[in-house]
Coordinates of all heavy atoms in Angstrom, one line a residue:
M98 N -129.3 77.5 63.1 CA -129.1 76.7 61.8 C -130.3 76.0 61.6 O -130.8 75.2 62.5 CB -127.8 76.0 61.9 CG -127.4 75.1 60.7 SD -126.6 76.0 59.3 CE -125.1 76.6 60.0
P99 N -130.9 75.9 60.4 CA -132.1 75.1 60.0 C -131.6 73.6 60.0 O -130.5 73.3 59.9 CB -132.4 75.6 58.6 CG -131.2 76.1 58.1 CD -130.4 76.7 59.2
P100 N -132.7 72.8 59.9 CA -132.4 71.3 59.8 C -131.4 71.1 58.7 O -131.8 71.6 57.4 CB -133.8 70.7 59.5 CG -134.8 71.6 60.2 CD -134.1 73.0 60.0
H101 N -130.4 70.3 58.9 CA -129.3 70.2 57.9 C -128.6 68.9 58.1 O -128.8 68.3 59.2 CB -128.4 71.4 57.7 CG -127.6 71.5 59.0 ND1 -128.0 72.1 60.2 CD2 -126.4 71.0 59.2 CE1 -127.0 72.0 61.0 NE2 -126.0 71.3 60.5
F102 N -127.8 68.4 57.1 CA -127.0 67.3 57.2 C -125.6 67.7 56.5 O -125.5 68.6 55.8 CB -127.6 66.0 56.7 CG -127.6 66.0 55.1 CD1 -126.7 65.4 54.3 CD2 -128.8 66.7 54.5 CE1 -126.8 65.5 52.9 CE2 -128.9 66.5 53.1 CZ -127.9 66.1 52.3
H103 N -124.6 66.9 57.0 CA -123.3 67.2 56.4 C -122.9 66.0 55.5 O -123.4 64.9 55.7 CB -122.2 66.9 57.6 CG -122.4 68.1 58.7 ND1 -121.5 69.0 58.9 CD2 -123.4 68.3 59.5 CE1 -121.8 69.9 59.8 NE2 -122.9 69.4 60.2
A104 N -122.3 66.4 54.4 CA -121.9 65.4 53.3 C -120.4 65.7 53.0 O -120.0 66.8 52.9 CB -122.7 65.5 52.1
K105 N -119.7 64.6 53.1 CA -118.1 64.8 52.8 C -117.8 64.0 51.6 O -118.4 62.8 51.4 CB -117.3 64.3 54.0 CG -117.3 65.2 55.1 CD -116.5 64.6 56.3 CE -116.6 65.5 57.5 NZ -115.7 65.1 58.4
Y106 N -116.9 64.4 50.7 CA -116.4 63.7 49.6 C -114.8 64.2 49.6 O -114.6 65.3 49.2 CB -117.1 64.0 48.3 CG -116.7 63.0 47.2 CD1 -117.0 61.8 47.0 CD2 -115.6 63.5 46.4 CE1 -116.8 60.9 46.0 CE2 -115.2 62.7 45.3 CZ -115.7 61.3 45.2 OH -115.2 60.4 44.3
G107 N -114.0 63.2 49.8 CA -112.6 63.5 49.8 C -112.3 64.6 50.9 O -112.8 64.4 52.0
D108 N -111.7 65.7 50.4 CA -111.4 66.9 51.4 C -112.5 67.9 51.3 O -112.4 68.9 52.1 CB -110.1 67.3 51.2 CG -109.9 68.1 49.8 OD1 -110.8 67.7 49.0 OD2 -108.9 68.8 49.7
K109 N -113.6 67.7 50.6 CA -114.6 68.6 50.5 C -115.8 68.3 51.4 O -116.1 67.0 51.6 CB -115.2 68.7 49.1 CG -114.2 69.1 48.0 CD -113.7 70.5 48.2 CE -112.7 70.9 47.1 NZ -112.2 72.0 47.4
E110 N -116.5 69.3 51.8 CA -117.7 69.1 52.7 C -118.7 70.2 52.5 O -118.4 71.3 52.2 CB -117.2 69.1 54.2 CG -118.4 68.9 55.2 CD -118.0 68.8 56.7 OE1 -116.9 68.9 56.9 OE2 -119.0 68.5 57.6
V111 N -119.9 69.8 52.6 CA -121.1 70.6 52.4 C -122.1 70.5 53.5 O -122.2 69.4 54.0 CB -121.8 70.6 51.1 CG1 -121.0 71.1 50.0 CG2 -122.3 69.2 50.8
L112 N -122.7 71.4 53.9 CA -124.0 71.4 54.8 C -125.2 71.6 53.9 O -125.1 72.7 53.1 CB -123.9 72.5 55.9 CG -123.2 72.1 57.1 CD1 -121.7 71.8 56.8 CD2 -123.4 73.0 58.3
V113 N -126.1 70.8 53.9 CA -127.2 70.8 53.0 C -128.5 70.9 53.9 O -128.8 70.2 54.8 CB -127.4 69.6 52.1 CG1 -128.5 69.6 51.3 CG2 -126.1 69.4 51.3
S114 N -129.4 71.9 53.6 CA -130.7 72.0 54.3 C -131.5 70.8 53.9 O -131.6 70.4 52.8 CB -131.3 73.4 53.8 OG -131.8 73.4 52.5
I115 N -132.2 70.3 54.9 CA -133.0 69.1 54.7 C -134.3 69.4 53.9 O -134.7 68.8 53.0 CB -133.4 68.3 56.0 CG1 -132.1 67.8 56.6 CG2 -134.4 67.3 55.8 CD1 -132.2 67.3 58.0
K116 N -134.9 70.6 54.3 CA -136.3 70.9 53.7 C -136.1 71.4 52.3 O -136.9 71.1 51.4 CB -136.9 71.9 54.5 CG -137.4 71.6 55.9 CD -138.1 72.5 56.6 CE -138.6 71.8 57.9 NZ -139.2 72.8 58.8
E117 N -135.0 72.3 52.0 CA -135.0 72.8 50.6 C -133.9 72.1 49.8 O -133.9 72.4 48.6 CB -134.6 74.3 50.7 CG -135.7 75.3 51.3 CD -135.7 75.3 52.8 OE1 -134.6 74.7 53.5 OE2 -136.7 75.7 53.3
L118 N -133.1 71.3 50.3 CA -132.1 70.5 49.7 C -131.1 71.6 48.9 O -130.9 71.4 47.7 CB -132.7 69.5 48.8 CG -133.5 68.4 49.4 CD1 -134.1 67.3 48.3 CD2 -132.6 67.7 50.4
E119 N -130.7 72.5 49.7 CA -129.8 73.5 49.1 C -128.7 73.5 50.0 O -128.7 73.3 51.2 CB -130.5 75.0 49.1 CG -131.6 75.0 48.0 CD -132.2 76.4 48.4 OE1 -132.0 77.2 49.1 OE2 -133.1 76.7 47.4
V120 N -127.4 73.8 49.4 CA -126.2 74.0 50.2 C -126.2 75.2 50.9 O -126.4 76.2 50.5 CB -124.9 73.9 49.1 CG1 -123.7 74.2 49.9 CG2 -124.8 72.8 48.3
L121 N -125.9 75.0 52.3 CA -125.8 76.1 53.2 C -124.5 76.6 53.3 O -124.3 77.9 53.5 CB -126.5 75.8 54.5 CG -127.8 75.3 54.6 CD1 -128.2 74.8 56.1 CD2 -128.8 76.4 54.2
E122 N -123.5 75.7 53.2 CA -122.1 76.1 53.5 C -121.2 75.1 52.7 O -121.8 73.8 52.6 CB -121.6 76.0 54.9 CG -122.2 77.1 55.8 CD -121.9 77.0 57.3 OE1 -120.7 76.4 57.5 OE2 -122.4 77.6 58.1
G123 N -120.1 75.4 52.5 CA -119.1 74.4 51.9 C -119.2 74.4 50.3 O -120.1 75.0 49.6
E124 N -118.3 73.5 49.8 CA -118.2 73.3 48.3 C -118.0 71.9 48.1 O -117.4 71.2 48.9 CB -117.1 74.1 47.7 CG -117.2 75.6 47.8 CD -116.1 76.3 47.3 OE1 -115.0 75.6 46.9 OE2 -116.1 77.4 46.9
M125 N -118.4 71.4 46.9 CA -118.1 70.0 46.4 C -118.2 70.0 44.9 O -119.0 70.8 44.4 CB -119.3 69.1 47.0 CG -118.9 67.6 46.8 SD -120.2 66.6 47.7 CE -119.6 66.8 49.3
Q126 N -117.6 69.1 44.3 CA -117.5 69.1 42.7 C -119.0 68.8 42.3 O -119.7 68.0 43.1 CB -116.6 67.9 42.3 CG -115.2 68.3 42.5 CD -114.3 67.2 42.1 OE1 -114.7 66.1 41.8 NE2 -113.0 67.5 42.1
S127 N -119.4 69.3 41.2 CA -120.7 69.2 40.8 C -121.2 67.7 40.6 O -122.4 67.4 41.1 CB -120.9 69.9 39.4 OG -122.1 69.7 38.8
K128 N -120.5 66.9 40.1 CA -120.8 65.5 40.0 C -121.2 64.8 41.4 O -122.3 64.2 41.4 CB -119.8 64.7 39.4 CG -120.1 63.2 39.0 CD -119.0 62.5 38.3 CE -119.3 61.0 38.3 NZ -118.2 60.3 37.4
Q129 N -120.4 65.0 42.4 CA -120.5 64.5 43.7 C -121.8 65.3 44.3 O -122.5 64.5 45.0 CB -119.3 64.6 44.5 CG -118.2 63.6 44.1 CD -117.5 64.0 42.8 OE1 -117.4 65.1 42.3 NE2 -117.0 63.0 42.2
L130 N -121.9 66.5 44.2 CA -123.0 67.2 44.8 C -124.3 66.8 44.1 O -125.2 66.6 45.0 CB -122.8 68.8 44.5 CG -123.9 69.6 45.3 CD1 -124.0 69.3 46.7 CD2 -123.5 71.0 44.9
K131 N -124.4 66.6 42.8 CA -125.6 66.0 42.3 C -126.0 64.7 43.0 O -127.2 64.4 43.2 CB -125.5 65.9 40.8 CG -125.5 67.2 40.2 CD -125.3 67.1 38.6 CE -125.2 68.5 38.0 NZ -125.0 68.3 36.5
M132 N -125.0 63.8 43.1 CA -125.2 62.6 43.8 C -125.7 62.7 45.2 O -126.7 61.9 45.7 CB -123.9 61.7 43.8 CG -124.1 60.3 44.2 SD -122.6 59.2 44.0 CE -121.5 60.0 45.2
V133 N -125.2 63.6 46.0 CA -125.6 63.9 47.4 C -127.1 64.3 47.4 O -127.9 63.8 48.0 CB -124.7 64.8 48.0 CG1 -125.2 65.3 49.3 CG2 -123.4 64.1 48.2
L134 N -127.2 65.3 46.6 CA -128.8 66.0 46.5 C -129.7 64.9 45.9 O -130.8 64.9 46.5 CB -128.8 67.1 45.5 CG -127.9 68.3 46.2 CD1 -127.9 69.5 45.2 CD2 -128.2 68.8 47.5
G135 N -129.3 64.0 45.0 CA -130.3 63.1 44.6 C -130.6 62.0 45.7 O -131.7 61.7 46.0
W136 N -129.6 61.7 46.4 CA -129.7 60.7 47.6 C -130.6 61.4 48.6 O -131.4 60.8 49.2 CB -128.3 60.4 48.1 CG -128.4 59.5 49.5 CD1 -128.6 58.1 49.4 CD2 -128.5 60.0 50.6 NE1 -128.7 57.7 50.7 CE2 -128.6 58.8 51.6 CE3 -128.5 61.2 51.3 CZ2 -128.8 59.0 52.9 CZ3 -128.7 61.2 52.7 CH2 -128.8 60.1 53.3
A137 N -130.4 62.6 48.9 CA -131.0 63.4 50.0 C -132.5 63.5 49.6 O -133.4 63.3 50.4 CB -130.4 64.7 50.2
A138 N -132.8 63.7 48.4 CA -134.3 63.8 48.0 C -135.0 62.5 48.1 O -136.2 62.5 48.7 CB -134.3 64.2 46.5
F139 N -134.2 61.5 47.8 CA -134.8 60.0 48.0 C -135.1 59.8 49.5 O -136.0 59.1 49.9 CB -134.1 59.1 47.4 CG -134.6 57.6 47.3 CD1 -135.7 57.3 46.4 CD2 -134.2 56.7 48.2 CE1 -136.2 56.2 46.4 CE2 -134.8 55.5 48.2 CZ -135.8 55.2 47.3
H140 N -134.2 60.3 50.5 CA -134.2 60.0 51.8 C -134.6 61.2 52.7 O -134.3 61.2 54.0 CB -132.9 59.5 52.3 CG -132.4 58.2 51.6 ND1 -132.8 57.0 52.1 CD2 -131.6 58.0 50.5 CE1 -132.3 56.1 51.4 NE2 -131.6 56.6 50.3
Q141 N -135.3 62.1 52.1 CA -135.6 63.4 52.9 C -136.3 63.1 54.1 O -136.2 63.7 55.2 CB -136.4 64.3 51.9 CG -136.4 65.7 52.4 CD -136.9 66.6 51.4 OE1 -137.5 66.3 50.3 NE2 -136.6 67.9 51.3
T142 N -137.3 62.2 54.1 CA -138.1 61.9 55.3 C -137.2 61.4 56.4 O -137.3 61.8 57.5 CB -139.3 60.9 54.9 OG1 -140.1 61.5 53.9 CG2 -140.0 60.6 56.3
E143 N -136.4 60.4 56.0 CA -135.4 59.8 56.9 C -134.6 60.9 57.7 O -134.3 60.9 58.9 CB -134.6 58.7 56.4 CG -135.4 57.4 56.1 CD -134.5 56.7 55.1 OE1 -133.6 55.9 55.6 OE2 -134.7 56.6 53.9
L144 N -134.1 61.8 56.7 CA -133.2 62.8 57.3 C -133.9 63.7 58.3 O -133.4 64.1 59.3 CB -132.6 63.7 56.0 CG -131.7 63.1 55.1 CD1 -131.5 63.8 53.9 CD2 -130.3 62.9 55.9
M145 N -135.2 64.0 58.0 CA -135.9 65.0 58.9 C -136.2 64.1 60.1 O -136.1 64.7 61.4 CB -137.2 65.4 58.2 CG -137.8 66.6 58.9 SD -136.8 68.0 58.8 CE -136.9 68.7 60.4
E146 N -136.5 63.0 60.1 CA -136.7 62.1 61.3 C -135.4 62.1 62.2 O -135.4 62.1 63.4 CB -137.2 60.6 61.0 CG -138.7 60.7 60.4 CD -138.9 59.3 59.8 OE1 -138.1 58.4 59.8 OE2 -140.1 59.2 59.5
N147 N -134.4 61.8 61.5 CA -133.0 61.8 62.2 C -132.8 63.2 63.0 O -132.4 63.3 64.0 CB -131.9 61.4 61.2 CG -130.6 61.1 62.0 OD1 -130.7 60.6 63.1 ND2 -129.5 61.3 61.3
W148 N -133.1 64.3 62.2 CA -132.9 65.6 62.7 C -133.7 65.8 64.0 O -133.2 66.3 65.0 CB -133.2 66.7 61.7 CG -133.1 68.1 62.2 CD1 -134.1 68.9 62.9 CD2 -131.9 68.8 62.3 NE1 -133.5 70.0 63.3 CE2 -132.3 70.1 63.0 CE3 -130.6 68.6 61.9 CZ2 -131.2 71.0 63.1 CZ3 -129.6 69.6 62.2 CH2 -130.0 70.9 62.8
E149 N -135.1 65.5 63.9 CA -135.9 65.6 65.0 C -135.5 64.7 66.2 O -135.6 65.2 67.4 CB -137.4 65.4 64.6 CG -138.0 66.3 63.7 CD -139.2 65.9 63.0 OE1 -139.7 64.7 63.3 OE2 -139.7 66.7 62.3
L150 N -135.0 63.5 65.9 CA -134.4 62.7 67.0 C -133.2 63.4 67.7 O -133.0 63.3 68.9 CB -134.2 61.4 66.5 CG -133.7 60.3 67.5 CD1 -134.8 60.0 68.5 CD2 -133.4 58.9 66.8
A151 N -132.4 63.8 66.8 CA -131.1 64.4 67.3 C -131.5 65.6 68.3 O -130.8 65.9 69.3 CB -130.2 64.9 66.1
V152 N -132.5 66.4 67.9 CA -132.9 67.6 68.6 C -133.3 67.1 70.1 O -132.9 67.6 71.1 CB -133.9 68.4 68.0 CG1 -134.5 69.4 69.0 CG2 -133.2 69.0 66.8
K153 N -134.1 65.9 70.1 CA -134.6 65.6 71.4 C -133.5 64.8 72.2 O -133.4 65.0 73.5 CB -135.8 64.3 71.0 CG -137.0 64.9 70.5 CD -138.0 63.9 70.2 CE -139.2 64.5 69.7 NZ -140.2 63.4 69.3
I154 N -132.7 63.9 71.6 CA -131.7 63.2 72.4 C -130.3 63.6 72.2 O -129.4 63.0 72.8 CB -131.9 61.7 72.2 CG1 -131.6 61.4 70.9 CG2 -133.2 61.3 72.6 CD1 -131.4 59.8 70.5
K155 N -130.1 64.6 71.5 CA -128.7 65.3 71.3 C -127.7 64.3 70.7 O -126.6 64.3 71.0 CB -128.3 65.9 72.6 CG -129.2 66.7 73.5 CD -129.3 68.0 72.6 CE -130.1 69.0 73.5 NZ -131.2 69.7 72.8
T156 N -128.1 63.5 69.8 CA -127.3 62.6 69.1 C -127.8 62.4 67.6 O -129.0 62.5 67.5 CB -127.0 61.4 69.7 OG1 -125.9 60.6 69.3 CG2 -128.1 60.3 69.8
C157 N -127.0 61.9 66.7 CA -127.4 61.7 65.3 C -126.8 60.3 65.0 O -126.0 59.7 65.5 CB -126.6 62.7 64.4 SG -127.0 64.4 64.8
F158 N -127.4 59.9 64.0 CA -127.1 58.6 63.3 C -126.6 58.7 61.9 O -127.2 59.5 61.4 CB -128.2 57.7 63.4 CG -128.7 57.4 64.9 CD1 -129.9 58.2 65.3 CD2 -128.1 56.5 65.8 CE1 -130.4 58.0 66.6 CE2 -128.6 56.4 67.0 CZ -129.7 57.1 67.5
L159 N -125.6 58.0 61.7 CA -125.1 58.0 60.3 C -126.0 57.2 59.4 O -126.4 56.1 59.8 CB -123.7 57.4 60.3 CG -123.0 57.2 58.9 CD1 -122.6 58.7 58.5 CD2 -121.6 56.5 59.1
L160 N -126.5 57.7 58.5 CA -127.5 57.2 57.5 C -126.9 56.4 56.4 O -127.4 55.3 55.9 CB -128.5 58.2 57.0 CG -129.3 58.9 58.0 CD1 -130.2 59.9 57.4 CD2 -130.2 57.9 58.8
I161 N -125.7 56.9 55.9 CA -125.1 56.3 54.8 C -123.5 56.6 54.7 O -123.2 57.7 55.2 CB -125.7 56.6 53.4 CG1 -125.3 55.8 52.3 CG2 -125.6 58.0 53.0 CD1 -126.2 55.8 51.1
H162 N -122.8 55.8 54.2 CA -121.5 55.9 54.2 C -121.0 55.6 52.8 O -121.3 54.5 52.4 CB -120.6 55.2 55.2 CG -119.2 55.3 55.2 ND1 -118.5 56.4 55.6 CD2 -118.1 54.5 54.8 CE1 -117.2 56.4 55.5 NE2 -117.0 55.1 54.7
C163 N -120.3 56.4 52.0 CA -119.7 56.1 50.7 C -118.1 56.2 50.8 O -117.6 57.2 51.2 CB -120.2 57.0 49.7 SG -122.1 57.1 49.6
D164 N -117.4 55.0 50.5 CA -116.1 55.1 50.3 C -115.6 55.6 49.1 O -114.7 56.3 48.9 CB -115.5 53.6 50.5 CG -115.7 53.1 51.9 OD1 -115.5 53.9 52.8 OD2 -115.9 51.9 52.1
K165 N -116.4 55.2 48.0 CA -116.3 55.6 46.6 C -117.6 55.9 46.0 O -118.5 55.5 46.6 CB -115.6 54.5 45.8 CG -114.2 54.1 46.3 CD -113.6 53.0 45.5 CE -112.3 52.5 46.1 NZ -111.7 51.4 45.3
E166 N -117.6 56.5 44.9 CA -119.0 56.8 44.2 C -119.9 55.6 44.2 O -121.0 55.7 44.2 CB -118.8 57.4 42.9 CG -118.4 58.8 43.0 CD -118.2 59.5 41.6 OE1 -119.1 59.3 40.8 OE2 -117.2 60.1 41.5
S167 N -119.1 54.4 43.9 CA -120.1 53.1 43.8 C -120.2 52.3 44.9 O -120.9 51.3 44.7 CB -119.4 52.5 42.6 OG -118.0 52.0 42.9
E168 N -119.6 52.8 45.9 CA -119.7 51.9 47.2 C -120.3 52.7 48.4 O -119.7 53.1 49.3 CB -118.2 51.5 47.5 CG -117.6 50.7 46.5 CD -116.2 50.2 46.9 OE1 -115.8 50.4 48.1 OE2 -115.4 49.7 46.1
C169 N -121.7 52.8 48.2 CA -122.3 53.5 49.4 C -123.1 52.3 50.1 O -123.8 51.4 49.4 CB -123.4 54.6 48.8 SG -122.5 55.8 48.0
R170 N -123.2 52.5 51.3 CA -123.9 51.6 52.1 C -124.5 52.1 53.4 O -123.9 53.2 53.9 CB -123.1 50.4 52.5 CG -121.8 50.7 53.3 CD -120.8 49.7 53.5 NE -119.7 50.0 54.4 CZ -118.8 50.8 54.1 NH1 -118.7 51.4 52.9 NH2 -117.9 51.0 54.9
T171 N -125.5 51.6 54.0 CA -125.9 52.0 55.4 C -125.0 51.4 56.3 O -124.4 50.2 56.1 CB -127.5 51.7 55.5 OG1 -127.5 50.2 55.4 CG2 -128.3 52.4 54.7
P172 N -124.8 52.0 57.5 CA -123.9 51.4 58.5 C -124.4 50.2 59.2 O -125.6 50.0 59.1 CB -123.5 52.6 59.4 CG -124.6 53.6 59.1 CD -125.2 53.4 57.8

């Protein structure tokens, strides 16, 4: 599997490639997917750094958590 991250919204989940910012698996409503892809584009470097770290030490870090569309924060 190429470098990717998981995004969840409600009961929907997608796996998104970090380099191409394309959905690899799963489904999500268009509005929420656009929000995820926009966030990912802005944080693409951080996502790739996290991926590389995860490969080295076998763990990942949560970069952002959203309870609602308007309530996103870093942990």
